[in-house]
Amino acid sequence: MTLDTEALDYYLTVATMVGPAFVGFFVLQYAMLIGRNRKRPAPLSGWGVAGRAAVGVIVGSAVGFGALWLTMYVPSYLTGDFQGLPWLMMFIAMPVGGLVALGVSHCLSRWLVVRARGDVVTTPAAP
């Protein structure tokens, strides 16, 4: 049995590029939601805010990647140029995908915090 070092190198490269981006995206989303959470009459716990931030980051990233792919490859399918056009469209697709991901994540996470049930509190009730 041999170890396919090329595939391992590829997966490690992807993990080291995507991992810090997701962590940074999550931290920024969490910080934004903490401010929104403080304005609630019954604030959520830290874990409640973190869970809503994680949902927003995951869904926003998936939708942003879909927008990136559509912007980058749909013109190639329409014109038949699969060599140079994706490289050219990449310069437009990267900011479009990033902005869509940020927008969807922000709107979804904020909606999840605002629409949380009002009876969720940070400390348990006294007996």
Side-chain angles (χ1 to χ4, degrees):
M1 181 186 322
T2 61
L3 178 64
D4 187 6
T5 57
E6 190 172 319
L8 179 64
D9 182 41
Y10 172 76
Y11 291 122
L12 286 175
T13 301
V14 170
T16 56
M17 287 171 32
V18 173
F22 274 123
V23 169
F25 194 17
F26 173 77
V27 168
L28 291 173
Q29 189 70 15
Y30 182 78
M32 186 271 308
L33 290 178
I34 287 293
R36 172 59 60 186
N37 187 38
R38 288 182 183 155
K39 296 177 183 177
R40 289 175 43 89
L44 298 169
S45 67
W47 288 108
V49 174
R52 285 160 176 83
V55 167
V57 167
I58 292 168
V59 171
S61 296
V63 172
F65 181 74
L68 181 142
W69 188 88
L70 287 172
T71 307
M72 192 165 162
Y73 287 110
V74 166
S76 294
Y77 286 109
L78 296 175
T79 62
D81 178 15
F82 292 98
Q83 295 296 321
L85 192 56
W87 287 99
L88 180 63
M89 294 304 294
M90 175 182 64
F91 295 111
I92 298 169
M94 296 295 269
V96 167
L99 290 174
V100 167
L102 286 173
V104 168
S105 176
H106 175 75
C107 291
L108 178 64
S109 296
R110 189 173 178 184
W111 181 79
L112 288 173
V113 167
V114 169
R115 295 291 183 182
R117 290 180 293 153
D119 59 342
V120 180
V121 294
T122 57
T123 56

